[in-house]
Structures are given as C-alpha cells and as structure tokens.
C-alpha cells in the first residue's frame, strides 16, 4: 500500500478522536481517543489488507495498531514477526488484541505460548498465560493442570499486575471448567486473597477467583436446569 493510503487512514483516525473516549481509555492505560465501535466500522470498510495492516502497525500509534489488528490476515504472520509485535505491544488493549485476534488464530500459537509462558518479561509472560487459559477450556489434555495450580499458588501473590491478572484468570478458569480441581482452585484464591478488594461495578462478577468460580458454576447449573 502507498504511504498516501496510510496517511489517509491516519487522517480518518484523527477525525474520529474523541476527548471523552480518550479520558476513559487512559484510565485503563490506553493512549487513544477513538471509540472502538467506530474503529470496527472503519475496519469493516477497509476489509482485510495485510500490507496496509503492517504499515499501520509500524506507525506506532495505538489507534492505528488496533485498526491494523482488525484488518490483518493472522495466518500471514511469521512466528518471529508475532513475537516482535507482542513485545512492542505495551498498551493493554493492543496487547490483548494481538493475543486474542491474531496469535490465537496463528499456526504459531502453541510455540509462542510455550516461549512466552517462561519469558522473564512479566508482560510477555502474561500473554503466555492468556493463551494457556484459552486451552484450559478447549484442550486441557495438552496441559498439566495440577502443575499450573502449583505455579499459581507459589507466584501469583507477588506477580506484577498484568501477569497477576492473567494468572488469576487461569486459576478461575481451571476452577470453573474442571470440577476435580475446583476445591483446590478456590482454596488457593481464598488463601492468596488476590483481587479480593477489586472495585467491581454493579451487575458485574468480581475477579476474585472464589467468587468468580462460584458465580460461573452457578450460571452453568442454571442453564443446564
């Protein structure tokens, strides 16, 4: 794609800038002011454009990178390219979309999961945990669930925020999806008290694992009955 096309897209993103959206996003660590619904509408109009996606990513602009992830072709990225993108994605929303919209659909997902899980950078490691959490429900036979609980029990309490959040999600998912490990998952959550006091809006489920597990299991039982 020509530089003019990138410039045109950047101009459209600038026109979508909304100070109120920026204020909300900045509270979550994201430095952009584009409403995500409008961003998705722009992506739908642009459709899949892999080279434009790469060019938008290279701008380093958060809104442009989010758009890039919506118009890319996930299976077209090489393993090292995805690794580099994840390491560059320091903003929470960009990081989350790289993992969920691109890496999960890539043939390199399992190789990257294993590499990132053991990475010394806690933000990179959190991506490894996010991919692992996805497997807890889909392909638990590929995982050592008791071993994961051992790691969570030993390390989650003192883990940096993003990594702690990802480990806590994995803990809750194990408790929700696997009744044979549920009592231990709840006990770990009760003992560590991670996110127990997290401010939770009305009608939302607390991320405190024992409450999260109990609520999701209750919903499963209601849907069955």
């Amino acid at each position: 794609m020509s530089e003019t096309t990138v410039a045109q897209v950047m101009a459209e993103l600038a026109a979508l800038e909304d100070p109120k959206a920026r204020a909300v996003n900045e509270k979550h660590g994201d430095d952009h002011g584009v409403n995500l619904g409008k961003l998705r509408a722009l992506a739908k109009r642009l459709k899949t454009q892999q080279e434009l996606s790469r060019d938008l990513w290279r701008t380093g602009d958060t809104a442009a990178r989010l758009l890039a992830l919506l118009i890319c072709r996930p299976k077209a990225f090489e393993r090292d390219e995805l690794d580099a993108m994840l390491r560059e994605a320091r903003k929470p929303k960009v990081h989350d979309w790289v993992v969920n919209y691109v890496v999960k659909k890539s043939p390199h997902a399992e190789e990257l999961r294993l590499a990132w899980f053991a990475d010394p950078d806690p933000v990179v490691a959190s991506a490894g945990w996010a991919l692992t959490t996805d497997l807890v429900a889909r392909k638990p036979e590929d995982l050592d669930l008791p071993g994961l609980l051992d790691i969570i029990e030993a390390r989650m309490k003192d883990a940096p925020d993003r990594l702690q959040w990802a480990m806590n999600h994995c803990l809750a998912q194990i408790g929700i999806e696997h009744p044979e490990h549920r009592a231990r998952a709840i006990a770990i959550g009760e003992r560590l008290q991670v996110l127990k006091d997290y401010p939770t809006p009305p009608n939302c489920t607390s991320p405190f694992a024992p409450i999260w597990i109990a609520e999701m299991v209750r919903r499963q039982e209601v849907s069955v009955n």
Side-chain angles (χ1 to χ4, degrees):
M1 282 291 163
S2 68
E3 290 183 11
T4 303
T5 303
V6 174
Q8 288 171 347
V9 173
M10 295 302 292
E12 286 205 53
L13 290 173
L16 292 173
E17 175 75 20
D18 178 353
K20 291 182 180 179
R22 179 173 285 276
V24 171
N25 291 331
E26 286 182 345
K27 289 181 181 179
H28 301 288
D30 294 307
D31 60 343
H32 75 94
V34 179
N35 174 280
L36 294 182
K38 293 180 179 178
L39 190 76
R40 292 181 190 278
L42 176 56
K44 188 174 181 179
R45 179 158 54 82
L46 290 171
K47 300 180 180 178
T48 301
Q49 296 191 50
Q50 182 66 10
E51 289 311 308
L52 177 59
S53 171
R54 283 191 167 103
D55 289 342
L56 289 171
W57 181 269
R58 290 188 194 104
T59 67
D61 179 81
T62 295
R65 285 187 161 181
L66 291 173
L67 181 61
L69 297 169
L70 293 175
I71 66 170
C72 75
R73 186 175 292 107
K75 293 180 181 179
F77 292 106
E78 297 295 332
R79 183 251 188 233
D80 289 349
E81 191 174 10
L82 291 172
D83 183 67
M85 288 170 65
L86 190 280
R87 292 176 190 280
E88 292 174 11
R90 307 309 287 189
K91 300 302 179 184
K93 183 66 70 176
V94 179
H95 180 276
D96 179 60
W97 284 18
V98 168
V99 173
N100 288 295
Y101 292 1
V102 184
V103 177
K104 282 184 181 179
K105 301 174 183 178
S106 163
H108 309 293
E110 179 61 9
E111 183 184 353
L112 289 169
R113 181 185 76 83
L114 294 171
W116 291 343
F117 189 87
D119 198 278
D121 182 331
V123 176
V124 175
S126 73
W129 277 90
L131 292 170
T132 298
T133 300
D134 183 55
L135 292 185
V136 167
R138 289 195 306 107
K139 297 181 71 177
E141 64 275 10
D142 290 353
L143 301 173
D144 173 10
L145 297 180
L148 286 173
L149 291 174
D150 289 344
I151 296 171
I152 291 167
E153 189 167 23
R155 303 180 190 171
M156 183 171 73
K157 181 77 171 179
D158 299 318
D161 287 350
R162 298 268 286 280
L163 179 55
Q164 184 184 72
W165 188 274
M167 295 173 82
N168 183 72
H169 189 183
C170 189
L171 174 66
Q173 196 74 5
I174 291 171
I176 293 164
E177 297 289 341
H178 301 282
E180 69 275 22
H181 299 297
R182 187 169 295 152
R184 186 183 176 200
I186 291 171
I188 290 171
E190 292 284 6
R191 185 161 56 256
L192 299 184
Q193 298 285 292
V194 168
L195 299 174
K196 183 177 182 181
D197 299 320
Y198 189 83
T200 305
N203 302 318
C204 292
T205 302
S206 168
F208 180 49
I211 294 176
W212 190 353
I213 293 167
E215 174 60 18
M216 297 310 293
V217 170
R218 183 191 69 78
R219 292 182 192 181
Q220 289 173 354
E221 291 172 347
V222 167
S223 66
V224 169
N225 296 328

